[in-house]
Amino acid sequence: MTGTKTLIALSAMAAALAAPSTVAAHEASGDARSAEDCSALSGLRLDDAVIESAELVPAQDDQRSLMGDTPGYPAFCRVVARVRSAPDSDIGVEIWLPLQGWEGVFHGNGSGGFAGTFTTGYSGMADGLRRGFATATTDAGTAPASPLEGDALIGSPRKWRDWGRLSTNVMTETGKAITRAFYGREAGRSYYTGCSTGGQQGLIEAMFYPDDYDGILVGAPVIHRTWGHAAVLWDYAAAHRTPGSFLSDTKLKLLNRAAISTCWAQGHALAGDSFISDPMACDFDPGVLQCQAGASDSCLTDEEVATARAFYSGPTNADGSPAYYGWLPGSEVPGLFGWSFLQTPINDQPPFSGLFKWVHGASWDWRNFDFHRNMPLVHDRLGPIVNDATRGSLGEFAARGRKLMIYHGLADTLVAPGQSVDFFNRQTAGIGEAAMAESARLYLAPGVMHCGGGTGPDAFNATLGIPPLPPSDDPRHDMFSALIAWTERGEAPEEIIATRFSTADPSEIEMQRPLCPYPKQARYRGVGSTLAPASFECR
């Protein structure tokens, strides 16, 4: 899966480089390198790696216009390498190396969806570059696939394995070697950031390569990959079961209003909020909207109720018991990566269904797929290759003093929030509460969709650039800054201040609310504006 805002910036580096500028600070300190030093990397020799290009990207100053500010960026050396360590393995690595002001930090970034491109990592790389970090990403070894289309990987199990586990470690080792060659010294610290598929990559790093990074920040991690794709297929099949099963945008908005109203009445939402604070505790049945006197825009037909119930329940076993997770009340929104996306075909196929063609062949037809009969084969064929995030332990990572921060939007409809909660609980049971408290935090973000967006406050991670967070000396306003403060200064992040900016004026703050480390939640104190974070406490 891939992040909502990342896909918007796939084709434009300038758009991806939209984060607060700190150019002047970087140009004032050491480790200065020249265009000639950059070009010289073309001749660098590394095991199994070929440097395809090494070129200078000139600095760009901040620009101001009537259309708003366009932040600049410092000059950097852009290096592209390919690592071919096994037959049918071809992992691309891109790294940006600031010419001046390197802070001695290596920063790895995750991919999105089926990957196949570097551009899904550009948003995080832009933020890392402005911090003075050497910052890298990978195409996960899946080219010519694209984030939304995995058909190119039919018959390529090695590429599945690179995508599922190996490519991020390859990126890290190759990126650190190029960084060392460019600056003449090792990186003193290393951080990783990523969301969705990038979140999965970060958990794999923490559990199986605990020496790669000092701190890891991941969002909406895909933990059970085969069931994750099956959940999307389940929704698509439900919405296309009959001509009347499809949920229009009008019906989605109707569902959303009813869910918020119901959860508010149960005490799981605040009056005036356009999202649900604690949807996991809310009991909502779309049957309350069932039409009684003929179909209309103010009610749901029997077929529409059945579709909505399938979305909430998620895949079930033959006896009707849960086989995986469903989406939570409050997630019923149209638009990019909302419920409407789950119902919309991509190249006449359900979203992200290329994974099933890896098992059943290019002629696979979703109409003939039986979940109870066919999913065991999918798990058997792909589970050992792409489901590593369901296995492994954070024990070694924690024992080394590393830090992990996970966030997940509770209105996510591409990666089920419940699996992040279960992952956290499972790891806590495995290594103990004390070790987890010293090493890991999970933050659940009400009203936030997949990696961002939604009606809740979704600006809390500068690596996502949604929108560019203003500079702040308070690490509580940015998860990456909080991770760095925790890793380097021992300042455990007891709350993160999430912001929602105005859609009419992105510089105007509409509301702020704290995100609390699970299992704590932001509770209203009973006095003060519900738009201000000081009116809430974590408990």
Side-chain angles (χ1 to χ4, degrees), residues 1 114 222 224-238 310-311 313-316 323-327 342 350-356 364 366 369-372 374-376 378-379 382 386-387 413-416:
M1 316 298 185
F114 290 112
V222 184
H224 201 300
R225 173 63 71 169
T226 50
W227 263 128
H229 285 245
V232 175
L233 176 60
W234 173 271
D235 294 338
Y236 186 88
F311 275 51
S313 73
T316 60
Y324 188 59
Y325 308 87
W327 314 124
L342 299 172
F352 302 110
S353 61
L355 179 143
F356 299 99
W364 174 82
W366 67 271
F369 189 82
D370 183 282
F371 283 85
H372 309 135
N374 297 132
M375 277 308 294
V378 173
H379 294 321
L382 291 180
V386 301
N387 284 341
T413 54
L414 278 190
V415 179

Side-chain angles (χ1 to χ4, degrees), residues 194-536:
C195 192
S196 193
T197 289
Q200 171 186 324
Q201 291 170 281
L203 293 185
I204 293 294
E205 284 292 295
M207 291 187 288
F208 297 98
Y209 306 98
D211 287 326
D212 277 1
Y213 292 99
D214 299 293
I216 292 176
L217 170 62
V218 299
V222 184
I223 296 172
H224 201 300
R225 173 63 71 169
T226 50
W227 263 128
H229 285 245
V232 175
L233 176 60
W234 173 271
D235 294 338
Y236 186 88
H240 292 269
R241 184 179 60 257
T242 70
S245 297
F246 191 92
L247 291 167
S248 68
D249 286 359
T250 298
K251 297 300 179 76
L252 292 178
K253 293 174 183 177
L254 178 68
L255 263 171
N256 184 248
R257 290 192 298 270
I260 293 173
S261 176
T262 298
C263 294
W264 174 80
Q266 294 177 12
H268 307 306
L270 288 179
D273 279 356
S274 57
F275 56 89
I276 300 170
S277 303
D278 187 10
M280 288 185 171
C282 180
D283 182 17
F284 173 67
D285 179 8
V288 299
L289 293 171
Q290 196 148 8
C291 297
Q292 302 298 322
S296 74
D297 286 343
S298 61
C299 63
L300 300 182
T301 66
D302 292 353
E303 293 165 306
E304 291 167 340
V305 169
T307 299
R309 283 174 173 161
F311 275 51
Y312 291 125
S313 73
T316 60
N317 296 311
D319 62 1
S321 62
Y324 188 59
Y325 308 87
W327 314 124
L328 298 173
S331 66
E332 320 81 359
V333 292
L336 185 63
F337 295 148
W339 280 32
S340 54
F341 172 82
L342 299 172
Q343 302 178 99
T344 303
I346 297 176
N347 296 330
D348 297 321
Q349 293 288 338
F352 302 110
S353 61
L355 179 143
F356 299 99
K357 296 180 183 179
W358 302 355
V359 177
H360 297 286
S363 62
W364 174 82
D365 187 335
W366 67 271
R367 297 169 186 83
N368 302 322
F369 189 82
D370 183 282
F371 283 85
H372 309 135
R373 183 180 66 247
N374 297 132
M375 277 308 294
L377 177 61
V378 173
H379 294 321
D380 289 346
R381 180 81 186 278
L382 291 180
I385 299 176
V386 301
N387 284 341
D388 275 345
T390 65
R391 298 177 283 269
S393 168
L394 292 174
E396 290 299 320
F397 185 82
R400 287 164 167 76
R402 315 300 194 201
K403 307 300 181 186
L404 169 67
M405 292 175 64
I406 306 170
Y407 61 92
H408 209 135
L410 288 171
D412 194 336
T413 54
L414 278 190
V415 179
Q419 66 175 340
S420 286
V421 173
D422 284 352
F423 172 85
F424 194 87
N425 290 337
R426 185 169 62 251
Q427 293 296 327
T428 300
I431 70 173
E433 291 186 10
M436 281 294 282
E438 287 295 318
S439 184
R441 294 281 193 281
L442 168 64
Y443 302 85
L444 301 176
V448 175
M449 295 173 66
H450 186 60
C451 297
T455 56
D458 69 333
F460 48 79
N461 178 6
T463 67
L464 296 177
I466 50 171
L469 290 168
S472 173
D473 293 330
D474 187 346
R476 295 181 305 160
H477 290 271
D478 167 39
M479 280 193 171
F480 193 16
S481 297
L483 175 69
I484 294 169
W486 191 18
T487 303
E488 298 182 7
R489 302 193 297 273
E491 299 172 3
E494 299 303 335
E495 67 173 7
I496 299 294
I497 305 300
T499 300
R500 187 173 77 207
F501 290 93
S502 167
T503 54
D505 182 359
S507 65
E508 180 182 337
I509 294 175
E510 284 191 356
M511 72 175 300
Q512 291 182 312
R513 192 159 295 177
L515 304 180
C516 305
Y518 174 84
K520 293 182 179 179
Q521 294 179 331
R523 302 291 190 182
Y524 182 54
R525 297 178 185 271
V527 294
S529 170
T530 58
L531 304 180
S535 302
F536 295 82

